[in-house]
Amino acid sequence: LFRVQQVAVLPIDSTGLESLTGNEALSGRLSELVSSSTEVTDEPGEPVVVANAEEASASAGFNVRLPADVAPAKIYVTDSAAFTLTVDRAKAQALLEEAGRADLVLPESIDGAKIAVSIPSTVNTTFGTCPEPQTDKPAMDEMDGPRESYPDCIVFSQMTSPIVNAPDGVDMAELAQIGLEFTGMSREDAEAFTDTIDWTSTLVIPIPRNAATHADVSIDGVTGKLIQRTTEYSSEYVLLWVKDGIVYSISGSGTDTARAFQMVEALP
């Protein structure tokens, strides 16, 4: 059983991932494998606009915090979602081998394993001029162009921890090590990293090596993470922290994070 209690950031080499994304046929088979192995058990609806923190709390089922004296543009609540992934080891192993990593062997114990993922309701509060969700809202890894159109947009997100249930025989640390080796990390480094992580309570955020920076920051009475990414076209940042069972993030464009920290200081 996995619940987020802390966040770790891991710079990775994208070499292994590029062997998938750069190979159209292989990437297509990966997408097909994921879709055929996934059963959606709780389909979320469209985000619903609410008037204030009280309405958001009643709808999301937890105490929603908003910064005092800072008027939000909109507050959206997205319903919970859930899905189950049934592992097909033979097909997954074949993809690894086709990607040139026959040295990475998935354990027999994962074959047929059912991994259930439950994503609770999420509250996203926008400040400034921001794109609408699920239409032109930019993803965190696709913000170079869209972010330039919304330079004053800040998004404050909060949710209770997602829950992942996996069978007892599935060793998440072993799978994580295989995944890290696939990205290009050496076996020794992958093993050393996985040994430092509690895989039942740590949300690991991968960031591209040499394209982003990260640092521990004191925020909201706890230790959080500040991730900053600068590209040829734009810059972006995200603040991440976990407090009292709630996962928080604030994202925006540019390199000036002062507004984000001021918002956190104004939280009740």
Side-chain angles (χ1 to χ4, degrees):
L1 179 64
F2 170 83
R3 289 178 185 267
V4 178
Q5 297 178 16
Q6 55 196 334
V7 177
V9 178
L10 175 65
I12 64 169
D13 184 344
S14 60
T15 303
L17 300 178
E18 288 170 356
S19 68
L20 287 179
T21 58
N23 184 321
E24 185 175 345
L26 194 59
S27 181
R29 282 194 286 279
L30 173 62
S31 297
E32 181 182 354
L33 174 60
V34 173
S35 62
S36 64
S37 303
T38 303
E39 177 187 3
V40 177
T41 55
D42 182 10
E43 188 81 41
E46 292 292 322
V48 175
V49 177
V50 297
N52 49 46
E54 290 73 21
E55 285 189 21
S57 299
S59 178
F62 65 92
N63 181 40
V64 173
R65 304 164 68 202
L66 293 180
D69 302 325
V70 183
K74 287 185 179 179
I75 306 171
Y76 300 93
V77 178
T78 303
D79 286 340
S80 62
F83 62 89
T84 299
L85 176 68
T86 302
V87 179
D88 187 324
R89 181 193 176 278
K91 291 182 178 180
Q93 185 64 47
L95 280 173
L96 282 176
E97 293 173 2
E98 194 170 347
R101 294 306 305 266
D103 58 308
L104 300 178
V105 180
L106 296 170
E108 297 284 350
S109 59
I110 69 169
D111 189 40
K114 292 184 179 297
I115 300 174
V117 180
S118 177
I119 304 171
S121 296
T122 305
V123 178
N124 293 305
T125 305
T126 63
F127 300 86
T129 303
C130 296
E132 294 295 319
Q134 295 193 354
T135 53
D136 56 348
K137 179 180 179 180
M140 282 300 295
D141 59 348
E142 299 174 348
M143 292 197 300
D144 293 349
R147 275 293 184 184
E148 293 180 335
S149 303
Y150 305 96
D152 67 334
C153 175
I154 292 180
V155 180
F156 177 31
S157 302
Q158 50 195 303
M159 65 190 299
T160 56
S161 171
I163 298 173
V164 181
N165 274 294
D168 289 339
V170 175
D171 187 337
M172 298 306 294
E174 181 181 10
L175 294 180
Q177 180 173 336
I178 292 173
L180 293 176
E181 288 185 55
F182 180 77
T183 67
M185 187 178 289
S186 70
R187 177 163 299 181
E188 293 75 16
D189 288 345
E191 183 176 3
F193 179 79
T194 55
D195 285 346
T196 67
I197 297 295
D198 181 351
W199 294 97
T200 66
S201 65
T202 306
L203 175 64
V204 177
I205 306 294
I207 63 173
R209 191 185 301 278
N210 301 324
T213 62
H214 67 97
D216 289 344
V217 291
S218 178
I219 183 171
D220 202 15
V222 298
T223 299
K225 304 291 182 182
L226 172 61
I227 302 172
Q228 294 180 288
R229 178 185 176 202
T230 301
T231 70
E232 181 181 354
Y233 305 102
S234 65
S235 301
E236 62 199 26
Y237 67 84
V238 59
L239 273 171
L240 289 163
W241 74 101
V242 183
K243 183 174 182 179
D244 298 330
I246 308 296
V247 182
Y248 297 96
S249 72
I250 298 180
S251 61
S253 60
T255 58
D256 186 358
T257 61
R259 284 182 63 199
F261 281 96
Q262 289 167 2
M263 285 184 179
V264 178
E265 292 175 358
L267 291 175

